Amino acid sequence: MSLTFDEIPYDWQKPGVYTEVKPVYDRMGLTEYPARTLIVAQKLAAGTAVAGTLYPITRPEEGIAYCGAGSVGADMVKAYKAANRTTEVFLTALADAGAGVAATGTLTFVGVPTTGGALALYVEETRIPLALTAGQTVAAMATAAAAAINALTDLPVTALAAAGVVTLTARHKGEVGNGISLAVARTIGDTIPAGTTVTVVAMAGGATNPDVQTVLDAIANEWFTDIVFPWDDATNLGKIAADFAERYKAMGRKDAHAYIGSKGIYSDLVTKGAITNSPFISIIGAKGSPSAPWKWAASLAGVAAFQLANDPARQLRSLVLTGIVAPDSKDCFIDSEQNLLLKKGISTFNRVSGGTVTIDRVVTTYKVSNLNVADTAWMDIMVPKTASRIRYDWSAYFTLTYPRAKLAKDNSLAAEHADAVVTPKRALGSWAARCTLYERRGWIEQSSETVSRSVFECDDSNKNRLNSRLRIIIIGNMMVLAGSLEFEV
């Protein structure tokens, strides 16, 4: 084989020892995967973030500066950083839509306390203690409640009292306000002084979210592996699904996965799951949780971004969603409902002792093929994540190993004698070596079989092109153990 050099001229005549130094990548390990998260948030006027600008986030409190106290963005940054402190994360934020409508809810005080005592109000996870006195009027109780709520600037609502009724208004305009939970005397030990009652009307009426297309356009050329959104309306979900499908294509090469939280009863979540059929969107749904949907999404994104960067093929079951408060047991979905929700594209969770939330199964919203046939090929988040990881590593490895290679057919004189030549057989050998590495990491299995079904061939009409078909079997996960326990009599 005749050798060629990158730095030494072929006709150099001056005597001396000239040696190029360059790496050989034949035995290189896995390419470092650049996991990057983007938090797409909604900001208040007090936030300094400029639409379309990406801000690196290192501390939880930065969400307040960029998005304002009591904002969706501040909540999302805090929830994400509670779950993940190491993955590189950025923030971009949009202001409320100009035509947006803020959600409202009410607390209505009725009666007169016969004795003094404590009353606990709740806005999301925050407990707001209120000291009532015997004989206090409904107007006085409502005024005190509104003052206590307004004193907490981190809350996502403001309060106004009138005639015994506290009207709570979301700080943000848009549908996000509908996800804010309100409660009275929610936990064990909370009391309501005798003689009075408080009626809660849930937050509702929020309408018109910001247009996510602004963000999608701004990050069109940016690499992000995990992106969390606060909006679950049909218009924005459709745009995310279409954009992420393009990002994942061979010519897009900017693989990303979207995380979204949704709140509602079983039928509401089934409706949400039906909006998209995307392998690149995971929606986690909860009924009755004190934690807002955007916090669920941010926490899930934090866990997934860290764990799936470490091992894209390993399920997320049993991992804790830090800072997320589970619904009461009566509001948790039963097993049969969870099973149906998974089939409808909604990820599920479990409530364990003390109200801790653990992941049950993270699925995508993909349910049917392009021919509308039921299909589970892309059901679990590990499938697109593992395929993305292998594609990224293989592309990096091949580029580093054959950066300036010539292309020749197998068994040609050029293949046998010329330097810096790649052939279909050599490419297949490289693919086999990488598959062995992937299998050792537990990402795929049966690589000896799939490599035999992989193909590399020179293009018939373009001498500069090598075509390939790369077969893999992504490893499964131990999710269901079915058995028959038989006893002898």
Side-chain angles (χ1 to χ4, degrees), residues 127-172:
R127 184 177 187 272
I128 306 164
L130 194 65
L132 303 185
T133 58
Q136 194 171 13
T137 65
V138 292
M141 288 187 287
T143 298
I149 292 169
N150 288 331
L152 301 176
T153 57
D154 290 341
L155 294 181
V157 297
T158 58
L160 180 65
V165 178
V166 179
T167 299
L168 301 163
T169 303
R171 293 185 186 272
H172 280 289

Side-chain angles (χ1 to χ4, degrees), residues 243-266:
D243 184 84
F244 279 37
E246 291 298 318
R247 292 178 73 93
Y248 203 84
K249 287 181 179 178
M251 306 311 293
R253 296 179 299 168
K254 292 182 176 62
D255 308 357
H257 200 87
Y259 303 86
I260 293 165
S262 194
K263 184 177 183 179
I265 61 176
Y266 172 81

Side-chain angles (χ1 to χ4, degrees), residues 1-2 406-427 458:
M1 176 179 291
S2 60
K406 293 168 281 188
L407 176 60
K409 294 184 176 180
D410 293 324
N411 304 318
S412 65
L413 286 175
E416 293 182 21
H417 300 286
D419 188 23
V421 172
V422 65
T423 67
K425 280 185 179 180
R426 288 178 187 172
C458 294

Side-chain angles (χ1 to χ4, degrees), residues 95-111:
D96 296 348
V101 178
T104 59
T106 58
L107 303 173
T108 300
F109 290 80
V110 177

Side-chain angles (χ1 to χ4, degrees), residues 313-315 382 442-445 473-479:
R314 189 179 184 187
Q315 63 177 313
M382 297 86 73
W443 297 355
I444 63 174
E445 59 179 340
I473 298 175
I474 296 176
I475 198 167
N477 277 262
M478 181 61 252
M479 294 188 187

Side-chain angles (χ1 to χ4, degrees), residues 75-385:
D75 279 350
M76 293 177 75
V77 170
K78 183 178 179 180
Y80 182 91
K81 295 301 286 185
N84 185 337
R85 291 188 173 270
T86 59
T87 302
E88 186 178 25
V89 58
F90 291 79
L91 169 77
T92 189
L94 297 178
D96 296 348
V101 178
T104 59
T106 58
L107 303 173
T108 300
F109 290 80
V110 177
V112 179
T114 57
T115 60
L119 172 67
L121 308 177
Y122 289 86
V123 177
E124 295 190 344
E125 304 95 335
T126 302
R127 184 177 187 272
I128 306 164
L130 194 65
L132 303 185
T133 58
Q136 194 171 13
T137 65
V138 292
M141 288 187 287
T143 298
I149 292 169
N150 288 331
L152 301 176
T153 57
D154 290 341
L155 294 181
V157 297
T158 58
L160 180 65
V165 178
V166 179
T167 299
L168 301 163
T169 303
R171 293 185 186 272
H172 280 289
K173 296 177 181 178
E175 293 181 21
V176 289
N178 300 331
I180 299 169
S181 67
L182 307 175
V184 175
R186 190 183 68 209
T187 61
I188 296 175
D190 288 339
T191 59
I192 299 177
T196 190
T197 60
V198 183
T199 302
V200 178
V201 174
M203 299 289 290
T208 311
N209 289 329
D211 186 353
V212 75
Q213 192 62 50
T214 302
V215 172
L216 299 178
D217 291 342
I219 63 171
N221 292 317
E222 297 284 344
W223 169 269
F224 287 106
T225 54
D226 303 272
I227 306 179
V228 52
F229 297 91
W231 310 299
D232 66 348
D233 60 281
T235 299
N236 281 330
L237 282 176
K239 291 181 179 181
I240 293 168
D243 184 84
F244 279 37
E246 291 298 318
R247 292 178 73 93
Y248 203 84
K249 287 181 179 178
M251 306 311 293
R253 296 179 299 168
K254 292 182 176 62
D255 308 357
H257 200 87
Y259 303 86
I260 293 165
S262 194
K263 184 177 183 179
I265 61 176
Y266 172 81
S267 59
D268 296 329
L269 297 178
V270 168
T271 300
K272 291 295 181 184
I275 292 173
T276 61
N277 187 54
S278 172
F280 317 115
I281 296 177
S282 289
I283 301 175
I284 188 163
K287 168 190 172 187
S289 169
S291 299
W294 54 86
K295 296 180 184 178
W296 281 79
S299 184
L300 177 59
V303 172
F306 178 86
Q307 297 294 339
L308 296 176
N310 285 345
D311 188 343
R314 189 179 184 187
Q315 63 177 313
L316 302 174
R317 185 183 180 195
S318 81
L319 297 176
V320 174
L321 293 183
T322 306
I324 300 303
V325 179
D328 290 338
S329 295
K330 63 181 177 58
D331 288 325
C332 291
F333 297 114
I334 61 177
D335 287 353
S336 59
E337 290 173 327
Q338 287 184 316
N339 185 58
L340 291 170
L341 285 171
L342 289 169
K343 293 180 179 179
K344 301 296 184 180
I346 300 296
S347 300
T348 54
F349 65 93
N350 291 317
R351 183 186 194 276
V352 296
S353 178
T356 299
V357 174
T358 60
I359 295 171
D360 180 44
R361 187 169 183 175
V362 181
V363 297
T364 73
T365 64
Y366 180 86
K367 299 168 288 293
V368 297
S369 71
N370 292 337
L371 298 176
N372 203 35
V373 177
D375 184 15
T376 60
W378 296 88
M379 178 178 179
D380 286 293
I381 190 174
M382 297 86 73
V383 173
K385 283 291 188 179

